[in-house]
């Protein structure tokens, strides 16, 4: 039968009143309680920050960007969350509408990293190229808007350039939380 | 890939949250503690698995958590300080007829909790207890007064 290594028993566990081996460590315990108090304050701060939208899905996360001529107004979430659906809405003003249509160009990060799932309404045309996608939307009256349903595919900071023919470009910076 | 990272983060975060809860869940779980365990556990599972409900993902997540548990267990054995951080230390709640009020208050324990543990040892009243010790596993040990 194989042998196992042995060691004599030592009275190594600290005793209470020299009679009960408990092994408590009050000095450590007081340090731990101080740490936990700080940790609960931190947790509370994180919850407040979350309610405010510091981690997305709140008032501080919502943003609006517009061109100086109000040709395009983009309502979006500057802080997104990985895998969570959101809506990016673009309102078109008169300067962006030419011959009853809007020619919109968005950077490829809209699909590649911000995970555009669908466009509402469907464009008449969508052409891939030049580092992005060009859409053509027929417009019958103003105000007109299109919505992109997003679902980011990876955490990170992404630039999203948007441009409409006849209106200056806009560059959005979107932070996607893990 | 992300499942493994999330499982590691989830494991340590859950360990931290469960550890800093004043009343250590484990032994003597009441419905109050069950709510915490199931709700927090469920939330972590959702974040860990994400949209990938495949068998492969589930197996990788379970293996990661198992490996983390094994590693932490080894660290606890190797470094006693780690054991104190993860499991805490036993604390004397009652000693020779005197409550350690500061400890009881900080742990949010009451005499009713101690008496519940005492009854399982056949103790009928608090006066029969010489020592009550909150153990690392969350149970309360009772040492009776000598007759």
């Amino acid at each position: 039968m194989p042998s196992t290594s042995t060691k004599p028993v030592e009275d190594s566990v600290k005793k209470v009143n020299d009679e009960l081996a408990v092994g408590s460590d009050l000095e450590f315990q007081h340090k731990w309680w101080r740490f936990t108090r700080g940790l609960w304050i931190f947790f509370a701060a994180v919850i407040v920050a979350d309610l405010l939208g510091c981690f997305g899905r709140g008032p501080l996360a919502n943003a609006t960007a517009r061109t100086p001529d109000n040709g395009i107004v983009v309502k979006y979430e500057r802080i997104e969350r990985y895998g969570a659906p959101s809506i990016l809405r673009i309102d078109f003003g008169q300067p962006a509408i030419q011959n009853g249509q809007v020619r919109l160009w968005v950077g490829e990060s809209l699909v590649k990293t911000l995970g555009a799932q669908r466009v509402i309404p469907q464009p008449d045309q969508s052409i891939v190229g030049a580092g992005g996608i060009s859409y053509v939307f027929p417009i019958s009256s103003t105000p007109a808007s299109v919505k992109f349903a997003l679902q980011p595919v990876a955490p990170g900071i992404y630039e999203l350039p948007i441009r409409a023919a006849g209106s200056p470009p806009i560059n959005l910076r979107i932070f996607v939380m893990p | 890939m992300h499942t493994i990272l999330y499982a590691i983060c989830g494991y340590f975060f859950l360990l931290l949250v469960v550890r800093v809860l004043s009343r250590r869940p484990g032994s003597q779980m009441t419905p109050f503690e069950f709510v915490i365990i199931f709700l927090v556990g469920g939330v972590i599972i959702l974040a860990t698995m994400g949209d990938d409900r495949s068998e492969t993902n589930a197996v990788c997540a379970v293996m990661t958590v198992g490996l983390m548990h094994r590693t932490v267990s080894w660290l606890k054995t190797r470094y006693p300080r780690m054991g104190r951080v993860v499991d805490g230390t036993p604390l004397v709640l009652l000693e020779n007829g005197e409550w350690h009020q500061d400890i009881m208050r900080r742990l949010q324990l009451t005499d009713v909790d101690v008496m519940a543990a005492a009854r399982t040892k056949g103790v009928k009243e608090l006066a029969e207890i010489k020592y009550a010790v909150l153990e690392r596993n969350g149970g309360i040990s009772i040492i009776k007064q000598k007759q």
Side-chain angles (χ1 to χ4, degrees), chain B residues 63-82:
Chain B
M63 284 167 69
T64 306
V65 172
L67 191 65
M68 294 315 299
H69 191 68
R70 175 90 181 163
T71 307
V72 170
S73 298
W74 176 78
L75 286 169
K76 274 165 50 181
T77 317
R78 180 81 180 75
Y79 305 102
R81 194 170 183 81
M82 182 76 179

Side-chain angles (χ1 to χ4, degrees), chain A residues 17 19 22 24 28 32-33, chain B residues 19 90 95-96 106 130-131:
Chain A
N17 296 333
E19 61 174 348
V22 176
S24 65
F28 166 80
W32 179 258
W33 281 329
Chain B
R19 177 70 177 89
E95 182 180 348
N96 292 323
R106 284 177 184 272
K130 185 166 190 187
Y131 291 105

Side-chain angles (χ1 to χ4, degrees), chain B residues 14-38:
Chain B
L14 199 53
L15 190 66
L16 180 72
V17 171
V18 172
R19 177 70 177 89
V20 298
L21 290 171
S22 298
R23 177 69 178 273
R24 289 171 236 198
S27 273
Q28 292 200 329
M29 281 219 287
T30 64
F32 181 63
E33 276 94 24
F34 268 115
V35 171
I36 296 288
I37 297 297
F38 284 112

